[in-house]
Amino acid sequence: MRRRTRLGAAVCVCVSAMAAPVAAQERQEAPAAESDALNLFFDCQGMGCWDLDFFRREIPIVNWVRDRQVADVHVLVTSQRTGGGGLLYTLAFIGRGALEGQDQELTVSTSGDATQDEQRSALSQQLKLGLVRYLAGTPAAEQIRILMGPETPAAGGAPVMPGMPPGGSGQQAARPEDDPWNYWVFTIRGNGFLNGESSFSSSNLSGSVSANRTTEAWKFNVSARYSRREQEFSVTPETTVTSLIKDWSASALLVKSLTPHWSLGVRSGAGRSTRLNEDFRWNISPGIEYNIFPYSESSRRLFTLQALLNVRYWDYIEETIYEQTEEMRLAASLTASLSQIQPWGRVNISVNGSQYLHDPDLYQVSVFGSVEVRLFRGFSVNFGGSYSRIRDQLFPEAGGLTREEILLRQKAFQTQYSYFTSFGISYRFGSIFNNVVNPRFGRGGGGEIIFF
């Protein structure tokens, strides 16, 4: 298990239920809301947080509140993908009210093949560990048991916390000398879908392979995918319309870490797309990226500027509107991206611009943004959307598209812009406590108004 402070002994924080079964039943019927109990706001923005009932059952000695404004401790959880395909969770414990200023941060990693139970168990273990300092001054301290003992060897030489299976999701990342794969991770996927009605049938087959190696100094990813989608429509007993789209693509990324703020990288790719009039294409894009914040803070905030020089080649299926059957072009692109996850919500904004060097009139500008903010107790708003000004499409066919190709979206057609928007509000009111777990007849509850 990874954390900012390494312990010389394995530690297990055990929350025991000291009350009799009758008292436990009473707690089921009436949530604990004692004034001297710790109010916890669990704000999980990462993956693996889907089962909140599990965390309530694991830690029943706190009041699980729904509003950070009434919390004694606000736990903000974020996650990032690791090079091995797993997740690195960061738990930021933020003291509020009388505990203001008593902040701490813990981390824990899970392996790429960790199950959902292993992910939530690793999170629960770190959550218990982080809460000890806040619970120590409350009556709930009597229900805490701490077991300390010598480290127990696990697979790869990592220490195991008592009560956790060897090699479980809480183990440390393997050291290079213990890793026979030398940080390489390979993934193979395949999917197939079939559905239909009396006058319609559809099949979709896809597969992909990938390999990656990620260290602090280097990052390398390579992947390939293939997809085949076929649809048949029986318009009349004598007429059947068939839509067939076949695509394949391959991509690679190589990044060198220079400093805590600077990186060098090169992207490349190749593929074929009948929808984009591509019989074959390839591209290579070297560039540089600068992060205003250190990359070590990426779980909470990122502000990057990325510049690329793109070399692109196409061999077209049909002659284009520019009378080309094949061509190679140079383009320059610049991307600015901001991402922040804070106790009040999250913000993601990116702006991208690209331009072909042979013709300044061929360019594209895209803006994307999403914001989620808690304005006051129980009330949140969210906005999202994107807009692209498109002036750089080289692929449209000179002969135009048929009505079937347009309606079935078999081929992309020329456009001047594209956009997407979303917005919503949510308001939850009533009791601030949500300690009770009752999964009968599925999940649900009242006191909530949501507009989309």
Side-chain angles (χ1 to χ4, degrees):
M1 181 173 292
R2 296 179 55 190
R3 64 174 67 91
R4 295 195 181 276
T5 57
R6 297 193 61 184
L7 302 179
V11 178
C12 177
V13 181
C14 305
V15 179
S16 60
M18 305 296 293
V22 173
Q25 179 63 31
E26 291 175 353
R27 286 198 301 272
Q28 290 275 335
E29 296 173 354
E34 294 84 3
S35 59
D36 53 0
L38 188 75
N39 287 343
L40 172 67
F41 180 62
F42 188 58
D43 186 9
C44 195
Q45 305 283 346
M47 292 171 280
C49 310
W50 52 274
D51 191 357
L52 294 180
D53 286 353
F54 172 82
F55 297 102
R56 295 191 191 107
R57 286 193 178 100
E58 287 288 296
I59 310 175
I61 59 176
V62 300
N63 281 327
W64 293 78
V65 299
R66 294 186 292 100
D67 190 343
R68 70 185 181 97
Q69 300 296 335
V70 298
D72 299 311
V73 179
H74 179 178
V75 181
L76 177 61
V77 183
T78 57
S79 65
Q80 296 183 96
R81 282 290 176 189
T82 64
L87 291 170
L88 175 64
Y89 292 100
T90 301
L91 293 82
F93 292 78
I94 305 169
R96 297 182 56 83
L99 299 176
E100 187 171 355
Q102 299 186 36
D103 302 341
Q104 64 175 329
E105 189 172 282
L106 301 177
T107 62
V108 61
S109 61
T110 61
S111 62
D113 60 352
T115 64
Q116 290 182 334
D117 180 64
E118 290 173 331
Q119 289 175 346
R120 67 183 187 177
S121 295
L123 267 178
S124 174
Q125 189 71 17
Q126 287 301 89
L127 183 58
K128 293 175 184 177
L129 185 62
L131 287 175
V132 169
R133 63 179 295 186
Y134 305 105
L135 291 169
T138 70
E142 299 177 359
Q143 301 184 51
I144 299 175
R145 301 293 180 266
I146 300 179
L147 305 178
M148 303 186 67
E151 291 183 347
T152 304
V160 173
M161 301 186 75
M164 296 185 63
S169 58
Q171 71 181 60
Q172 285 184 330
R175 298 186 299 250
E177 60 269 25
D178 302 321
D179 184 8
W181 293 98
N182 193 26
Y183 291 108
W184 281 99
V185 178
F186 304 89
T187 305
I188 300 175
R189 292 188 176 94
N191 294 288
F193 302 94
L194 300 173
N195 67 290
E197 302 174 359
S198 59
S199 59
F200 166 77
S201 65
S202 174
S203 64
N204 193 336
L205 303 176
S206 64
S208 66
V209 295
S210 67
N212 74 81
R213 185 178 188 272
T214 303
T215 66
E216 290 292 339
W218 290 93
K219 178 180 179 181
F220 178 68
N221 296 331
V222 60
S223 63
R225 59 171 292 275
Y226 171 82
S227 67
R228 181 186 186 278
R229 182 180 180 184
E230 184 175 9
Q231 295 178 298
E232 288 190 359
F233 301 85
S234 298
V235 182
T236 67
E238 296 80 20
T239 305
T240 300
V241 177
T242 301
S243 170
L244 178 61
I245 301 175
K246 295 189 293 184
D247 296 318
W248 69 268
S249 65
S251 63
L253 171 67
L254 178 64
V255 179
K256 170 60 177 175
S257 303
L258 300 179
T259 72
H261 297 271
W262 287 96
S263 302
L264 282 175
V266 57
R267 296 180 182 273
S268 62
R272 179 181 188 272
S273 173
T274 55
R275 189 170 186 271
L276 297 178
N277 192 26
E278 299 170 347
D279 191 39
F280 178 72
R281 64 163 174 85
W282 63 261
N283 67 278
I284 184 168
S285 306
I288 192 167
E289 181 178 274
Y290 176 73
N291 186 7
I292 294 177
F293 306 114
Y295 283 101
S296 59
E297 301 177 10
S298 59
S299 65
R300 293 284 298 272
R301 56 181 185 172
L302 276 171
F303 191 178
T304 59
L305 299 174
Q306 184 184 99
L308 299 175
L309 178 63
N310 308 281
V311 183
R312 301 169 180 171
Y313 168 83
W314 295 271
D315 182 9
Y316 297 110
I317 299 173
E318 302 290 343
E319 185 179 86
T320 70
I321 57 176
Y322 296 100
E323 300 179 345
Q324 301 290 328
T325 58
E326 64 174 336
E327 61 182 325
M328 181 182 293
R329 301 298 183 188
L330 291 176
S333 64
L334 180 65
T335 303
S337 180
L338 170 66
S339 175
Q340 283 221 341
I341 300 177
Q342 299 296 334
W344 47 261
R346 64 168 64 200
V347 175
N348 291 285
I349 300 173
S350 65
V351 180
N352 172 264
S354 64
Q355 185 178 54
Y356 284 104
L357 302 185
H358 73 283
D359 186 347
D361 292 332
L362 296 175
Y363 67 91
Q364 182 172 160
V365 178
S366 301
V367 180
F368 166 82
S370 66
V371 180
E372 182 179 356
V373 181
R374 296 188 187 96
L375 295 182
F376 52 86
R377 177 181 293 185
F379 186 82
S380 299
V381 298
N382 64 82
F383 304 93
S386 64
Y387 178 84
S388 297
R389 183 78 167 175
I390 303 172
R391 293 290 189 274
D392 63 348
Q393 292 179 311
L394 302 178
F395 63 84
E397 300 176 18
L401 305 180
T402 66
R403 183 177 181 181
E404 290 179 354
E405 290 173 335
I406 295 175
L407 294 177
L408 297 177
R409 301 187 68 84
Q410 289 178 291
K411 295 185 178 180
F413 47 89
Q414 195 169 20
T415 183
Q416 301 296 309
Y417 63 89
S418 66
Y419 68 90
F420 167 80
T421 60
S422 67
F423 54 90
I425 66 171
S426 67
Y427 182 44
R428 184 186 292 268
F429 54 92
S431 173
I432 63 171
F433 302 102
N434 59 350
N435 300 341
V436 172
V437 176
N438 189 343
R440 297 171 180 82
F441 277 73
R443 303 173 186 271
E448 182 175 17
I449 300 176
I450 300 178
F451 299 93
F452 295 100

PDB file of all heavy atoms in Angstrom, residues 143-174:
ATOM      1  N   GLN A 143     -14.533   2.521  20.418  1.00  0.00           N
ATOM      2  CA  GLN A 143     -14.881   1.438  19.508  1.00  0.00           C
ATOM      3  C   GLN A 143     -13.776   1.156  18.487  1.00  0.00           C
ATOM      4  O   GLN A 143     -13.967   0.360  17.577  1.00  0.00           O
ATOM      5  CB  GLN A 143     -16.177   1.765  18.772  1.00  0.00           C
ATOM      6  CG  GLN A 143     -17.357   1.994  19.697  1.00  0.00           C
ATOM      7  CD  GLN A 143     -18.638   2.215  18.924  1.00  0.00           C
ATOM      8  OE1 GLN A 143     -18.986   1.429  18.051  1.00  0.00           O
ATOM      9  NE2 GLN A 143     -19.334   3.300  19.234  1.00  0.00           N
ATOM     10  N   ILE A 144     -12.637   1.816  18.632  1.00  0.00           N
ATOM     11  CA  ILE A 144     -11.531   1.627  17.694  1.00  0.00           C
ATOM     12  C   ILE A 144     -10.536   0.651  18.290  1.00  0.00           C
ATOM     13  O   ILE A 144     -10.146   0.772  19.454  1.00  0.00           O
ATOM     14  CB  ILE A 144     -10.835   2.958  17.386  1.00  0.00           C
ATOM     15  CG1 ILE A 144     -11.816   3.940  16.738  1.00  0.00           C
ATOM     16  CG2 ILE A 144      -9.638   2.738  16.460  1.00  0.00           C
ATOM     17  CD1 ILE A 144     -11.234   5.317  16.513  1.00  0.00           C
ATOM     18  N   ARG A 145     -10.099  -0.340  17.533  1.00  0.00           N
ATOM     19  CA  ARG A 145      -9.073  -1.280  17.935  1.00  0.00           C
ATOM     20  C   ARG A 145      -7.929  -1.183  16.933  1.00  0.00           C
ATOM     21  O   ARG A 145      -8.145  -1.303  15.732  1.00  0.00           O
ATOM     22  CB  ARG A 145      -9.625  -2.707  17.959  1.00  0.00           C
ATOM     23  CG  ARG A 145     -10.808  -2.896  18.904  1.00  0.00           C
ATOM     24  CD  ARG A 145     -10.379  -2.738  20.353  1.00  0.00           C
ATOM     25  NE  ARG A 145     -11.514  -2.909  21.258  1.00  0.00           N
ATOM     26  CZ  ARG A 145     -12.245  -1.912  21.714  1.00  0.00           C
ATOM     27  NH1 ARG A 145     -11.967  -0.662  21.345  1.00  0.00           N
ATOM     28  NH2 ARG A 145     -13.249  -2.128  22.533  1.00  0.00           N
ATOM     29  N   ILE A 146      -6.719  -0.989  17.420  1.00  0.00           N
ATOM     30  CA  ILE A 146      -5.549  -0.879  16.557  1.00  0.00           C
ATOM     31  C   ILE A 146      -4.622  -2.052  16.851  1.00  0.00           C
ATOM     32  O   ILE A 146      -4.193  -2.242  17.995  1.00  0.00           O
ATOM     33  CB  ILE A 146      -4.801   0.447  16.790  1.00  0.00           C
ATOM     34  CG1 ILE A 146      -5.737   1.632  16.478  1.00  0.00           C
ATOM     35  CG2 ILE A 146      -3.549   0.518  15.925  1.00  0.00           C
ATOM     36  CD1 ILE A 146      -5.097   2.980  16.713  1.00  0.00           C
ATOM     37  N   LEU A 147      -4.346  -2.853  15.846  1.00  0.00           N
ATOM     38  CA  LEU A 147      -3.461  -4.001  15.968  1.00  0.00           C
ATOM     39  C   LEU A 147      -2.158  -3.680  15.261  1.00  0.00           C
ATOM     40  O   LEU A 147      -2.158  -3.284  14.095  1.00  0.00           O
ATOM     41  CB  LEU A 147      -4.095  -5.246  15.348  1.00  0.00           C
ATOM     42  CG  LEU A 147      -5.478  -5.638  15.867  1.00  0.00           C
ATOM     43  CD1 LEU A 147      -5.987  -6.869  15.130  1.00  0.00           C
ATOM     44  CD2 LEU A 147      -5.437  -5.888  17.366  1.00  0.00           C
ATOM     45  N   MET A 148      -1.043  -3.826  15.966  1.00  0.00           N
ATOM     46  CA  MET A 148       0.258  -3.551  15.381  1.00  0.00           C
ATOM     47  C   MET A 148       1.135  -4.774  15.538  1.00  0.00           C
ATOM     48  O   MET A 148       1.098  -5.456  16.559  1.00  0.00           O
ATOM     49  CB  MET A 148       0.915  -2.336  16.035  1.00  0.00           C
ATOM     50  CG  MET A 148       0.072  -1.068  15.967  1.00  0.00           C
ATOM     51  SD  MET A 148       0.931   0.388  16.604  1.00  0.00           S
ATOM     52  CE  MET A 148       2.214   0.577  15.397  1.00  0.00           C
ATOM     53  N   GLY A 149       1.922  -5.068  14.502  1.00  0.00           N
ATOM     54  CA  GLY A 149       2.805  -6.219  14.555  1.00  0.00           C
ATOM     55  C   GLY A 149       3.840  -6.138  13.457  1.00  0.00           C
ATOM     56  O   GLY A 149       3.843  -5.194  12.671  1.00  0.00           O
ATOM     57  N   PRO A 150       4.722  -7.119  13.395  1.00  0.00           N
ATOM     58  CA  PRO A 150       5.750  -7.109  12.355  1.00  0.00           C
ATOM     59  C   PRO A 150       5.123  -7.165  10.977  1.00  0.00           C
ATOM     60  O   PRO A 150       4.028  -7.693  10.802  1.00  0.00           O
ATOM     61  CB  PRO A 150       6.574  -8.378  12.650  1.00  0.00           C
ATOM     62  CG  PRO A 150       6.210  -8.764  14.042  1.00  0.00           C
ATOM     63  CD  PRO A 150       4.808  -8.289  14.270  1.00  0.00           C
ATOM     64  N   GLU A 151       5.838  -6.633  10.006  1.00  0.00           N
ATOM     65  CA  GLU A 151       5.369  -6.685   8.634  1.00  0.00           C
ATOM     66  C   GLU A 151       5.310  -8.134   8.167  1.00  0.00           C
ATOM     67  O   GLU A 151       6.171  -8.950   8.479  1.00  0.00           O
ATOM     68  CB  GLU A 151       6.296  -5.896   7.709  1.00  0.00           C
ATOM     69  CG  GLU A 151       6.236  -4.401   7.942  1.00  0.00           C
ATOM     70  CD  GLU A 151       7.098  -3.666   6.955  1.00  0.00           C
ATOM     71  OE1 GLU A 151       7.908  -4.313   6.283  1.00  0.00           O
ATOM     72  OE2 GLU A 151       6.953  -2.443   6.852  1.00  0.00           O
ATOM     73  N   THR A 152       4.264  -8.452   7.417  1.00  0.00           N
ATOM     74  CA  THR A 152       4.099  -9.792   6.865  1.00  0.00           C
ATOM     75  C   THR A 152       4.435  -9.761   5.395  1.00  0.00           C
ATOM     76  O   THR A 152       3.832  -8.979   4.655  1.00  0.00           O
ATOM     77  CB  THR A 152       2.645 -10.280   7.046  1.00  0.00           C
ATOM     78  OG1 THR A 152       2.337 -10.212   8.431  1.00  0.00           O
ATOM     79  CG2 THR A 152       2.486 -11.698   6.538  1.00  0.00           C
ATOM     80  N   PRO A 153       5.356 -10.569   4.895  1.00  0.00           N
ATOM     81  CA  PRO A 153       5.716 -10.511   3.476  1.00  0.00           C
ATOM     82  C   PRO A 153       4.524 -10.861   2.612  1.00  0.00           C
ATOM     83  O   PRO A 153       3.740 -11.741   2.922  1.00  0.00           O
ATOM     84  CB  PRO A 153       6.832 -11.562   3.338  1.00  0.00           C
ATOM     85  CG  PRO A 153       7.312 -11.808   4.737  1.00  0.00           C
ATOM     86  CD  PRO A 153       6.148 -11.555   5.625  1.00  0.00           C
ATOM     87  N   ALA A 154       4.396 -10.135   1.510  1.00  0.00           N
ATOM     88  CA  ALA A 154       3.343 -10.416   0.537  1.00  0.00           C
ATOM     89  C   ALA A 154       4.004 -10.692  -0.787  1.00  0.00           C
ATOM     90  O   ALA A 154       5.209 -10.625  -0.940  1.00  0.00           O
ATOM     91  CB  ALA A 154       2.388  -9.229   0.424  1.00  0.00           C
ATOM     92  N   ALA A 155       3.175 -10.998  -1.773  1.00  0.00           N
ATOM     93  CA  ALA A 155       3.696 -11.196  -3.122  1.00  0.00           C
ATOM     94  C   ALA A 155       4.427  -9.949  -3.559  1.00  0.00           C
ATOM     95  O   ALA A 155       3.903  -8.862  -3.500  1.00  0.00           O
ATOM     96  CB  ALA A 155       2.545 -11.519  -4.074  1.00  0.00           C
ATOM     97  N   GLY A 156       5.671 -10.107  -4.016  1.00  0.00           N
ATOM     98  CA  GLY A 156       6.460  -8.960  -4.418  1.00  0.00           C
ATOM     99  C   GLY A 156       7.159  -8.295  -3.260  1.00  0.00           C
ATOM    100  O   GLY A 156       7.783  -7.263  -3.403  1.00  0.00           O
ATOM    101  N   GLY A 157       7.074  -8.867  -2.045  1.00  0.00           N
ATOM    102  CA  GLY A 157       7.780  -8.303  -0.916  1.00  0.00           C
ATOM    103  C   GLY A 157       7.070  -7.159  -0.244  1.00  0.00           C
ATOM    104  O   GLY A 157       7.622  -6.489   0.617  1.00  0.00           O
ATOM    105  N   ALA A 158       5.812  -6.881  -0.609  1.00  0.00           N
ATOM    106  CA  ALA A 158       5.092  -5.748  -0.038  1.00  0.00           C
ATOM    107  C   ALA A 158       4.454  -6.156   1.282  1.00  0.00           C
ATOM    108  O   ALA A 158       4.005  -7.282   1.445  1.00  0.00           O
ATOM    109  CB  ALA A 158       4.023  -5.272  -1.012  1.00  0.00           C
ATOM    110  N   PRO A 159       4.387  -5.238   2.259  1.00  0.00           N
ATOM    111  CA  PRO A 159       3.751  -5.556   3.536  1.00  0.00           C
ATOM    112  C   PRO A 159       2.243  -5.677   3.385  1.00  0.00           C
ATOM    113  O   PRO A 159       1.649  -5.003   2.554  1.00  0.00           O
ATOM    114  CB  PRO A 159       4.122  -4.361   4.412  1.00  0.00           C
ATOM    115  CG  PRO A 159       4.346  -3.249   3.455  1.00  0.00           C
ATOM    116  CD  PRO A 159       4.918  -3.875   2.229  1.00  0.00           C
ATOM    117  N   VAL A 160       1.652  -6.548   4.161  1.00  0.00           N
ATOM    118  CA  VAL A 160       0.208  -6.748   4.126  1.00  0.00           C
ATOM    119  C   VAL A 160      -0.374  -6.306   5.450  1.00  0.00           C
ATOM    120  O   VAL A 160       0.161  -6.616   6.512  1.00  0.00           O
ATOM    121  CB  VAL A 160      -0.141  -8.227   3.865  1.00  0.00           C
ATOM    122  CG1 VAL A 160      -1.635  -8.454   4.008  1.00  0.00           C
ATOM    123  CG2 VAL A 160       0.309  -8.628   2.473  1.00  0.00           C
ATOM    124  N   MET A 161      -1.468  -5.581   5.417  1.00  0.00           N
ATOM    125  CA  MET A 161      -2.132  -5.168   6.645  1.00  0.00           C
ATOM    126  C   MET A 161      -2.949  -6.328   7.164  1.00  0.00           C
ATOM    127  O   MET A 161      -3.605  -7.021   6.397  1.00  0.00           O
ATOM    128  CB  MET A 161      -3.032  -3.962   6.369  1.00  0.00           C
ATOM    129  CG  MET A 161      -2.277  -2.774   5.811  1.00  0.00           C
ATOM    130  SD  MET A 161      -3.309  -1.344   5.648  1.00  0.00           S
ATOM    131  CE  MET A 161      -3.441  -0.857   7.358  1.00  0.00           C
ATOM    132  N   PRO A 162      -2.914  -6.589   8.476  1.00  0.00           N
ATOM    133  CA  PRO A 162      -3.711  -7.677   9.045  1.00  0.00           C
ATOM    134  C   PRO A 162      -5.165  -7.571   8.619  1.00  0.00           C
ATOM    135  O   PRO A 162      -5.728  -6.478   8.586  1.00  0.00           O
ATOM    136  CB  PRO A 162      -3.546  -7.480  10.562  1.00  0.00           C
ATOM    137  CG  PRO A 162      -2.240  -6.755  10.707  1.00  0.00           C
ATOM    138  CD  PRO A 162      -2.141  -5.878   9.503  1.00  0.00           C
ATOM    139  N   GLY A 163      -5.744  -8.707   8.281  1.00  0.00           N
ATOM    140  CA  GLY A 163      -7.135  -8.719   7.839  1.00  0.00           C
ATOM    141  C   GLY A 163      -7.272  -8.565   6.349  1.00  0.00           C
ATOM    142  O   GLY A 163      -8.369  -8.652   5.825  1.00  0.00           O
ATOM    143  N   MET A 164      -6.151  -8.333   5.638  1.00  0.00           N
ATOM    144  CA  MET A 164      -6.198  -8.195   4.184  1.00  0.00           C
ATOM    145  C   MET A 164      -5.483  -9.385   3.579  1.00  0.00           C
ATOM    146  O   MET A 164      -4.423  -9.805   4.048  1.00  0.00           O
ATOM    147  CB  MET A 164      -5.532  -6.899   3.723  1.00  0.00           C
ATOM    148  CG  MET A 164      -6.235  -5.658   4.212  1.00  0.00           C
ATOM    149  SD  MET A 164      -5.487  -4.174   3.523  1.00  0.00           S
ATOM    150  CE  MET A 164      -5.806  -4.434   1.784  1.00  0.00           C
ATOM    151  N   PRO A 165      -6.002  -9.975   2.494  1.00  0.00           N
ATOM    152  CA  PRO A 165      -5.364 -11.136   1.885  1.00  0.00           C
ATOM    153  C   PRO A 165      -4.061 -10.750   1.221  1.00  0.00           C
ATOM    154  O   PRO A 165      -3.929  -9.659   0.686  1.00  0.00           O
ATOM    155  CB  PRO A 165      -6.404 -11.595   0.837  1.00  0.00           C
ATOM    156  CG  PRO A 165      -7.172 -10.360   0.534  1.00  0.00           C
ATOM    157  CD  PRO A 165      -7.217  -9.582   1.813  1.00  0.00           C
ATOM    158  N   PRO A 166      -3.035 -11.630   1.273  1.00  0.00           N
ATOM    159  CA  PRO A 166      -1.777 -11.327   0.593  1.00  0.00           C
ATOM    160  C   PRO A 166      -2.030 -11.067  -0.886  1.00  0.00           C
ATOM    161  O   PRO A 166      -2.819 -11.752  -1.521  1.00  0.00           O
ATOM    162  CB  PRO A 166      -0.946 -12.611   0.801  1.00  0.00           C
ATOM    163  CG  PRO A 166      -1.537 -13.254   2.008  1.00  0.00           C
ATOM    164  CD  PRO A 166      -2.993 -12.907   1.979  1.00  0.00           C
ATOM    165  N   GLY A 167      -1.342 -10.064  -1.405  1.00  0.00           N
ATOM    166  CA  GLY A 167      -1.503  -9.732  -2.807  1.00  0.00           C
ATOM    167  C   GLY A 167      -2.773  -8.989  -3.111  1.00  0.00           C
ATOM    168  O   GLY A 167      -3.138  -8.818  -4.257  1.00  0.00           O
ATOM    169  N   GLY A 168      -3.497  -8.551  -2.077  1.00  0.00           N
ATOM    170  CA  GLY A 168      -4.755  -7.843  -2.282  1.00  0.00           C
ATOM    171  C   GLY A 168      -4.530  -6.461  -2.815  1.00  0.00           C
ATOM    172  O   GLY A 168      -3.419  -6.031  -3.115  1.00  0.00           O
ATOM    173  N   SER A 169      -5.620  -5.686  -2.908  1.00  0.00           N
ATOM    174  CA  SER A 169      -5.556  -4.379  -3.543  1.00  0.00           C
ATOM    175  C   SER A 169      -4.773  -3.378  -2.741  1.00  0.00           C
ATOM    176  O   SER A 169      -4.468  -2.308  -3.221  1.00  0.00           O
ATOM    177  CB  SER A 169      -6.981  -3.869  -3.765  1.00  0.00           C
ATOM    178  OG  SER A 169      -7.662  -3.797  -2.534  1.00  0.00           O
ATOM    179  N   GLY A 170      -4.426  -3.710  -1.475  1.00  0.00           N
ATOM    180  CA  GLY A 170      -3.716  -2.745  -0.678  1.00  0.00           C
ATOM    181  C   GLY A 170      -2.204  -2.862  -0.755  1.00  0.00           C
ATOM    182  O   GLY A 170      -1.512  -2.175  -0.038  1.00  0.00           O
ATOM    183  N   GLN A 171      -1.658  -3.738  -1.601  1.00  0.00           N
ATOM    184  CA  GLN A 171      -0.236  -3.922  -1.591  1.00  0.00           C
ATOM    185  C   GLN A 171       0.482  -2.806  -2.332  1.00  0.00           C
ATOM    186  O   GLN A 171      -0.089  -2.117  -3.159  1.00  0.00           O
ATOM    187  CB  GLN A 171       0.116  -5.275  -2.190  1.00  0.00           C
ATOM    188  CG  GLN A 171      -0.099  -5.363  -3.699  1.00  0.00           C
ATOM    189  CD  GLN A 171       0.248  -6.723  -4.211  1.00  0.00           C
ATOM    190  OE1 GLN A 171      -0.338  -7.702  -3.789  1.00  0.00           O
ATOM    191  NE2 GLN A 171       1.182  -6.796  -5.115  1.00  0.00           N
ATOM    192  N   GLN A 172       1.798  -2.685  -2.015  1.00  0.00           N
ATOM    193  CA  GLN A 172       2.592  -1.661  -2.657  1.00  0.00           C
ATOM    194  C   GLN A 172       2.834  -2.008  -4.113  1.00  0.00           C
ATOM    195  O   GLN A 172       2.766  -3.157  -4.521  1.00  0.00           O
ATOM    196  CB  GLN A 172       3.937  -1.521  -1.952  1.00  0.00           C
ATOM    197  CG  GLN A 172       3.861  -0.802  -0.617  1.00  0.00           C
ATOM    198  CD  GLN A 172       5.245  -0.622  -0.051  1.00  0.00           C
ATOM    199  OE1 GLN A 172       6.129  -1.430  -0.297  1.00  0.00           O
ATOM    200  NE2 GLN A 172       5.431   0.431   0.702  1.00  0.00           N
ATOM    201  N   ALA A 173       3.139  -0.974  -4.904  1.00  0.00           N
ATOM    202  CA  ALA A 173       3.538  -1.224  -6.274  1.00  0.00           C
ATOM    203  C   ALA A 173       4.833  -2.032  -6.277  1.00  0.00           C
ATOM    204  O   ALA A 173       5.721  -1.810  -5.463  1.00  0.00           O
ATOM    205  CB  ALA A 173       3.733   0.104  -7.012  1.00  0.00           C
ATOM    206  N   ALA A 174       4.953  -2.976  -7.190  1.00  0.00           N
ATOM    207  CA  ALA A 174       6.123  -3.838  -7.236  1.00  0.00           C
ATOM    208  C   ALA A 174       7.370  -3.031  -7.569  1.00  0.00           C
ATOM    209  O   ALA A 174       7.336  -2.119  -8.380  1.00  0.00           O
ATOM    210  CB  ALA A 174       5.920  -4.941  -8.272  1.00  0.00           C
TER     211      ALA A 174
END
